[in-house]
Amino acid sequence: MQMISKASCSMASFSCSEDRKELCVWPSLRQFCLRKGIVYGFMRLLSRPLKTLRGASRSLRIAEFCSVSNVSSSLQIELVLCLRDNYAYLLHDVDTGTVGVVDPSEASPVIDALSRKNRNLTYILNTHHHHDHTGGNMELKAKYGAKVIGSALDRDRIPGIDIVLNDGDKWMFAGHAVHVIETPGHTRGHISFYFPSSGAIFTGDTLFSLSCGKLFEGTPEQMISSLKKIVSLPDDTNIYCGHEYTLSNLKFALSIEPKNEALQSYAAHVAHHHGKGLPTIPTTLKMEKSCNPFLRTSSTEIRLTLDIPVTADDAEALAIIHHAKDNF
């Protein structure tokens, strides 16, 4: 478990000594990119074909390798790869044995992960109603008798929902307080689950590493408001999002803010993990504030690159950034 904890820490931040050892294999690459142009160097690297995460999960046993043991709490978090690039998250309270799953796209990978450790399932937490986040609900509920939890606004759209929650509610998962944060924009009923004692938030399709969700049912104003709620949390908060989109998001972020040194460093980290078939999640809020263009709507470089007017507010800037990414 010690090795696993170090691995999760290196994915979430650059503070681990183990991570520094891993990243030391990259100096020549970083120097090359800085000499030849960061965008050119990393675009060549990132354009190379990489094995899919599903293939990597078979060879490297990602679901087991990426278990996270929070030293500050008894909550363990395990990534479970679903479909092509979705993540479900198994939550295990060590003290009580209570187990939950966040956003099970499909049942089989979750059942496999539970069976490996001979665990039952008590709760299913859904951030929103989309099928790639709720597709496993009914099978898991039937097999384990688990209770399904979601937004009151999605009570008619989340399969098997039992417990409805609203913005500002505090729900208890075993001994862990869970703060419910309304984060619309991607969908009108989207919520995020924040575990303050564990320093973790499950953001579904609101906030990704280096991006945010598409605006299917919401407005730029709603999305920027939702992102600001997340940004108000402590910098060391671990971000557990719904998809492994980091590599493609990185290409766009570098194209509009190539001089961002924090982004350049994070690019090496992301490329290194993808090269090994490892997840880039969790990320940290501190990292996202330094690198994610959708949290950097006031960046002078981004505004100049995309011709965003000086008078544009954050929501208007986000809409322009989103349009540029959609057409990237």
Side-chain angles (χ1 to χ4, degrees), residues 33 43 52 69 89 133 146 154 161 171 183 231 239 253 266 269 278 297 328:
C33 292
M43 288 309 176
T52 64
S69 181
Y89 297 99
H133 292 255
D154 277 343
I161 193 166
W171 177 73
T183 49
V231 167
I239 309 293
Y266 189 46
H269 172 83
L278 299 176
T297 52
F328 180 69

Side-chain angles (χ1 to χ4, degrees), residues 97-269:
T98 303
V99 177
V101 64
V102 179
D103 285 351
S105 308
E106 52 183 338
S108 295
V110 176
I111 293 171
D112 289 346
L114 291 168
S115 298
R116 281 197 300 270
K117 298 179 180 178
N118 194 30
R119 290 175 180 164
N120 201 350
L121 183 66
T122 310
Y123 299 110
I124 299 168
L125 290 75
N126 294 135
T127 59
H128 62 294
H129 75 284
H130 283 166
H131 184 72
D132 65 326
H133 292 255
T134 63
N137 279 19
M138 297 310 292
E139 185 176 345
L140 292 171
K141 183 174 182 176
K143 182 175 179 65
Y144 298 104
K147 297 292 185 182
V148 178
I149 299 164
S151 169
L153 295 176
D154 277 343
R155 67 172 73 240
D156 297 324
R157 304 198 293 179
I158 291 179
I161 193 166
D162 298 295
I163 301 171
V164 297
L165 299 173
N166 295 283
D167 184 45
D169 284 351
K170 292 183 181 179
W171 177 73
M172 295 300 296
F173 176 82
H176 307 273
V178 183
H179 295 198
V180 179
I181 305 174
E182 190 175 65
T183 49
H186 182 66
T187 66
R188 67 175 184 270
H190 199 296
I191 57 176
S192 296
F193 298 102
Y194 175 46
F195 289 69
S197 64
S198 302
I201 185 169
F202 299 88
T203 59
D205 286 359
T206 293
L207 177 64
F208 302 121
S209 184
L210 302 179
S211 189
C212 71
K214 291 183 179 293
L215 304 177
F216 288 124
E217 298 178 0
T219 65
E221 288 77 15
Q222 287 177 310
M223 179 59 80
I224 203 72
S225 175
S226 295
L227 294 175
K228 286 181 177 180
K229 291 178 185 178
I230 297 171
V231 167
S232 70
L233 301 176
D235 277 355
D236 61 355
T237 301
N238 284 319
I239 309 293
Y240 294 89
C241 57
H243 294 267
E244 181 61 67
Y245 288 162
T246 313
L247 188 65
S248 61
N249 293 339
L250 173 61
K251 297 176 185 180
F252 173 72
L254 282 169
S255 75
I256 65 171
E257 201 177 18
K259 296 178 182 178
N260 183 334
E261 293 185 0
L263 181 58
Q264 294 169 14
S265 296
Y266 189 46
H269 172 83

Side-chain angles (χ1 to χ4, degrees), residues 13-33:
S13 70
F14 296 135
S15 61
C16 295
S17 59
E18 180 71 20
D19 190 54
R20 293 192 191 99
K21 293 177 184 176
E22 290 183 16
L23 286 178
C24 72
V25 304
W26 288 92
S28 61
L29 171 64
R30 189 167 187 272
Q31 289 165 8
F32 165 77
C33 292

